[in-house]
């Protein structure tokens, strides 16, 4: 409702005079962002509680969504989606918008302040005087998300995350002798201020279906450090951070020091995400340095050294119900402007049997690959960047080759899956157990199959080739963009072309694409970028494209889980002959994948798009850019 109509109603009800209203209008001309009711309260012409009663009784209070749309913070479509999620999840609209990452806490607090004609106040870097703790009961403050922040001229300023109801406001007024001024602040800032002011241990939700425990012997050794530096609160916060990552199957946990504390992010399905840690976030910010110290103590790092990077590891026992397992954590710290950043790789070793069909490969690849594995000796390579699922694929291949009549040895960095019947070894560079050294030892152990976690250098590559030439099946990984580039990489390591021709059995180049969330799947129109990149097929494709719009099940990303897209090259003798002629190496990919001889990575990805399992935008993110140019040229040539 326009200010003039609100003013007339206030005058008619006897809340203000016409002269007071005209004064407020003059102020609003200078400050158009302020609501007329807020101005009347600031001029002391109207009490805030009277204004709230008036707006609620007459149904004149603006809705939160209306304010946010007017300010351009979101559009009608996002508002509708947020309202649906808020209703389904039974949470306030503001909390739904934060979970959907449409708003941050400060934007929400400013909108709530405008909705209730209150002043927004940031408590960032604001020091609350300790003597204010006596003006408010800590339990009452915690329950209602309140904190006293200032006392001036007998007026007590109280920050709140959500406006109080009239009855609660009257109760608050009755507790003290001072006049009250209410302001709105972000909830996490209020909780953090409460922790500092009331000096009490925080209460926050814990992942109660998981129980984490450290090695008891190591705990005894470190007890003096724990006693001196680590509080019970910090112990619980560290366990909360780890258990949240384990529960959501995060591959990495990122603890990033900031000016005001610490940001916690988790890598899920290959992408960093912020998970809901509830009311623990303010405590994490408050105890950021102690959290880093606790983690460094757990993995025997030098806690006094904050200027140099450090690397180490530790293990936790994880109990869920009656099941007990060990989870490894690899920890890396680096100094930054505001403190130390910690990245923790979560290695949740699983003992379940992996199979190629269960990983979701193109059925055509699975059949061809299993046939190729029946042929003894030679090297099989899986290529792709870090995090593309290479090790998981090798474990599935190992599972297929794992038979009582065969001996299989692995050297890995680190062991990610435990497979019964296979001898597995970890690299340990500190004592000299490198890939190359362990491989030499393996050749004296009479193996049938050898798995090398990664071919990193010429020495390892030469020993792997030697093992393949002497009758062993060798499995390993390389970091290359596509299947044919693996041979170029090995040639760069000074491997003789004739040796590669004699040993290379197959190469699988792969990436992992995120799957559409099945809980929020719906048809959509691809983005302008997708239409541009996939123009050759969009003009003739009559099917429907699907994507996930975002829901609680997928952490509002629209994606949940991943599937591999790949290109499989089982080389023929004629194709391998190309590498013996240096001048023809540049044409190797054209000879292998040209003229639709084999399915390329991008074509395999389009299969998943047509099945509604992923999106064109996800293929753009994952597939190497040079393959798009190659595919467009090949598609045009076919026409």
């Amino acid at each position: 409702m326009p200010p003039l109509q609100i003013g007339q109603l206030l005058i008619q009800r006897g809340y203000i005079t016409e002269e007071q209203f005209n004064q407020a209008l003059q102020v609003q001309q200078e400050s158009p962002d302020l609501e007329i009711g807020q101005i009347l309260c600031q001029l002391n012409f109207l009490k805030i509680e009277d204004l709230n009663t008036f707006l609620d009784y007459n149904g004149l209070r603006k809705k939160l969504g209306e304010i946010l749309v007017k300010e351009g913070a979101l559009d009608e479509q996002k508002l509708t989606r947020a309202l649906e999620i808020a209703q389904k999840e039974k949470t306030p609209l503001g909390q739904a918008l934060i979970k959907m990452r449409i708003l941050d806490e400060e934007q929400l607090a400013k909108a709530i302040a405008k909705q209730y004609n209150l002043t927004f106040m940031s408590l960032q870097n604001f020091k609350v005087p300790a003597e204010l703790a006596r003006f408010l009961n800590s339990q009452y403050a915690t329950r209602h998300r309140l904190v006293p922040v200032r006392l001036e001229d007998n007026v007590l300023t109280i920050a709140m995350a959500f406006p109080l109801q009239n009855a609660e406001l009257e109760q608050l007024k009755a507790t003290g002798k001072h006049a009250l001024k209410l302001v709105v602040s972000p909830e996490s800032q209020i909780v953090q201020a409460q922790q500092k002011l009331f000096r009490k241990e925080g209460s926050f939700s814990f992942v109660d279906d998981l129980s984490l425990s450290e090695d008891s012997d190591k705990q005894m050794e470190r007890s003096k450090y724990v006693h001196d530096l680590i509080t019970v609160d910090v112990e619980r916060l560290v366990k909360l951070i780890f258990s949240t990552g384990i529960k959501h199957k995060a591959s990495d946990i990122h603890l990033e020091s900031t000016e005001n504390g610490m940001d916690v992010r988790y890598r899920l399905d290959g992408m960093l995400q912020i998970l809901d840690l509830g009311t623990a976030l303010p405590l994490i910010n408050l105890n950021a340095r102690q959290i880093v110290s606790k983690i460094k103590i757990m993995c025997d790092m030098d806690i006094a050294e904050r200027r140099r990077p450090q690397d180490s590891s530790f293990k936790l026992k994880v109990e869920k119900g009656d099941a007990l397992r060990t989870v490894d954590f690899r920890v890396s710290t680096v100094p930054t402007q505001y403190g130390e950043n910690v990245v923790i790789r979560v290695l949740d070793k699983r003992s379940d049997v992996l199979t190629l069909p269960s990983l979701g490969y193109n059925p055509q690849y699975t059949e061809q690959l299993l046939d190729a594995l029946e042929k003894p000796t030679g090297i099989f390579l899986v290529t792709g960047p870090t995090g593309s699922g290479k090790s998981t694929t090798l474990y599935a291949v190992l599972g297929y080759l794992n038979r009582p009549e065969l001996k299989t040895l692995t050297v890995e960095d680190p062991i990610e899956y435990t497979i019964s019947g296979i001898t597995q070894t970890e690299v340990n560079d500190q004592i000299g157990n490198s890939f190359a050294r362990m491989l030499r030892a393996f050749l004296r152990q009479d193996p049938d199959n050898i798995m090398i976690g990664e071919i990193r250098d010429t020495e390892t590559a030469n020993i792997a080739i030697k093992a393949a030439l002497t009758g062993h099946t060798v499995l390993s990984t390389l970091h290359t963009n596509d299947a044919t580039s693996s041979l170029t990489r090995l040639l760069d390591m000074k491997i003789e072309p004739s040796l590669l021709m004699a040993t290379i059995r197959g190469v699988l180049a792969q990436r992992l694409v995120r799957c559409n969330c099945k809980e929020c799947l719906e048809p959509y129109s691809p983005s302008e970028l997708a239409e541009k990149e996939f123009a050759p097929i969009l003009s003739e494709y009559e099917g429907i494209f699907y994507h996930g719009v975002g829901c609680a099940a997928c952490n509002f990303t629209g994606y949940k889980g991943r599937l591999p897209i790949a290109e499989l090259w089982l080389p023929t003798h004629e194709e391998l002959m190309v590498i013996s002629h240096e001048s023809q190496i540049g044409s190797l990919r054209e000879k292998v994948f040209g003229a639709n001889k084999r399915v390329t990575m991008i074509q395999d990805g389009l299969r998943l798009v047509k099945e509604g399992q992923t999106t064109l935008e996800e293929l753009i993110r994952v597939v190497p850019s040079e393959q798009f140019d190659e595919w467009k040229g090949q598609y045009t040539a076919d026409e």
Side-chain angles (χ1 to χ4, degrees), residues 566-601:
E567 54 186 38
L568 176 63
W569 179 32
L570 302 175
T572 64
H573 179 71
E574 291 74 18
E575 290 167 344
L576 289 174
M577 284 293 293
V578 173
I579 65 175
S580 65
H581 305 286
E582 188 174 343
S583 60
Q584 297 182 29
I585 291 176
S587 63
L588 178 60
R589 183 165 181 83
E590 174 61 27
K591 292 183 180 297
V592 173
F593 289 97
N596 283 324
K597 291 179 182 176
R598 292 178 176 86
V599 176
T600 62
M601 199 182 300

Side-chain angles (χ1 to χ4, degrees), residues 391-412:
S391 296
T392 302
T393 300
L394 285 186
Y395 281 116
V397 173
L398 282 176
Y400 180 77
L401 296 174
N402 186 17
R403 301 165 192 170
E405 66 272 18
L406 300 177
K407 179 166 184 174
T408 302
L409 302 176
T410 76
V411 53
E412 310 170 48

Side-chain angles (χ1 to χ4, degrees), residues 90-314:
K90 296 181 180 179
T91 60
L93 173 63
Q95 296 302 311
L97 288 167
I98 288 175
K99 285 185 177 181
M100 295 171 71
R101 291 184 284 279
I102 295 174
L103 291 184
D104 57 34
E105 275 196 308
E106 185 168 311
Q107 288 174 306
L108 175 62
K110 287 179 177 178
I112 291 174
K114 180 166 286 191
Q115 184 185 22
Y116 284 87
N117 298 287
L118 296 170
T119 302
F120 169 81
M121 181 178 181
S122 174
L123 301 182
Q124 202 81 283
N125 301 321
F126 185 88
K127 187 174 181 180
V128 180
E131 60 268 18
L132 295 185
R134 62 190 174 90
F135 290 109
L136 207 59
N137 178 274
S138 63
Q139 292 182 349
Y140 180 88
T142 302
R143 185 166 66 252
H144 294 289
R145 290 292 185 263
L146 308 172
V147 65
V149 293
R150 185 184 290 132
L151 179 62
E152 289 180 353
D153 301 326
N154 207 40
V155 176
L156 182 63
T157 301
I158 293 181
M160 56 186 179
F162 311 103
L164 296 173
Q165 300 294 328
N166 285 338
E168 295 167 342
L169 187 59
E170 291 301 324
Q171 183 182 1
L172 182 61
K173 285 181 178 180
T175 61
K177 300 177 182 179
H178 302 283
L180 299 183
K181 178 183 177 182
L182 302 178
V183 297
V184 178
S185 300
E187 183 180 8
S188 64
Q189 293 180 13
I190 288 175
V191 174
Q192 191 166 352
Q194 288 172 344
Q195 298 301 322
K196 292 179 180 179
L197 184 63
F198 299 121
R199 303 289 180 184
K200 64 187 184 68
E201 284 190 7
S203 96
F204 49 86
S205 59
F206 194 73
V207 184
D208 51 11
D209 58 342
L210 289 180
S211 175
L212 274 62
S213 58
E214 294 182 63
D215 185 281
S216 57
D217 293 336
K218 291 186 177 181
Q219 279 184 324
M220 292 296 292
E221 292 173 10
R222 300 168 185 159
S223 60
K224 61 179 181 179
Y225 298 113
V226 175
H227 177 75
D228 291 341
L229 295 170
I230 308 303
T231 66
V232 174
D233 237 9
V234 171
E235 296 269 4
R236 294 180 65 218
L237 287 169
V238 169
K239 286 188 177 181
L240 174 66
I241 291 169
F242 290 156
S243 58
T244 300
I246 294 169
K247 182 177 181 180
H248 288 85
K249 299 180 180 179
S251 61
D252 301 88
I253 303 172
H254 290 242
L255 308 180
E256 299 160 336
S257 295
T258 65
E259 185 177 6
N260 300 299
M262 174 183 285
D263 290 337
V264 182
R265 297 193 290 171
Y266 297 85
R267 191 172 294 281
L268 305 176
D269 297 331
M271 302 291 284
L272 284 175
Q273 297 181 35
I274 297 173
L275 297 180
D276 185 10
L277 295 173
T279 55
L281 281 175
L283 286 172
I284 290 171
N285 285 325
L286 193 62
N287 296 281
R289 179 168 288 191
Q290 289 79 12
I291 288 172
V292 173
S293 294
K294 168 61 181 175
I295 294 170
K296 291 170 75 173
I297 289 170
M298 291 172 73
C299 51
D300 290 324
M301 287 184 181
D302 183 355
I303 62 172
E305 180 56 76
R306 298 193 178 102
R307 298 170 300 171
R308 293 186 177 90
Q310 296 187 65
D311 295 285
S312 190
S313 62
F314 66 94

Side-chain angles (χ1 to χ4, degrees), residues 314-315 326-330 345-349 426:
F314 66 94
K315 298 180 181 182
T326 299
V327 178
D328 286 4
F329 298 86
R330 300 295 173 98
R345 168 63 61 89
V346 183
L347 301 170
D348 195 352
K349 298 182 181 181
E426 277 193 350

Side-chain angles (χ1 to χ4, degrees), residues 406-430:
L406 300 177
K407 179 166 184 174
T408 302
L409 302 176
T410 76
V411 53
E412 310 170 48
D413 185 21
I415 296 172
E416 295 183 29
Y417 296 84
T418 300
I419 303 178
S420 178
I422 291 179
T423 303
Q424 297 174 263
T425 308
E426 277 193 350
V427 167
N428 189 338
D429 290 324
Q430 292 182 347

Side-chain angles (χ1 to χ4, degrees), residues 18-28 39 43 45:
E18 191 168 345
E19 182 182 355
Q20 289 173 332
F21 177 63
N22 289 332
Q23 283 184 246
L25 283 177
Q26 290 177 4
V27 174
Q28 193 179 47
I39 295 171
L43 294 173
F45 296 157

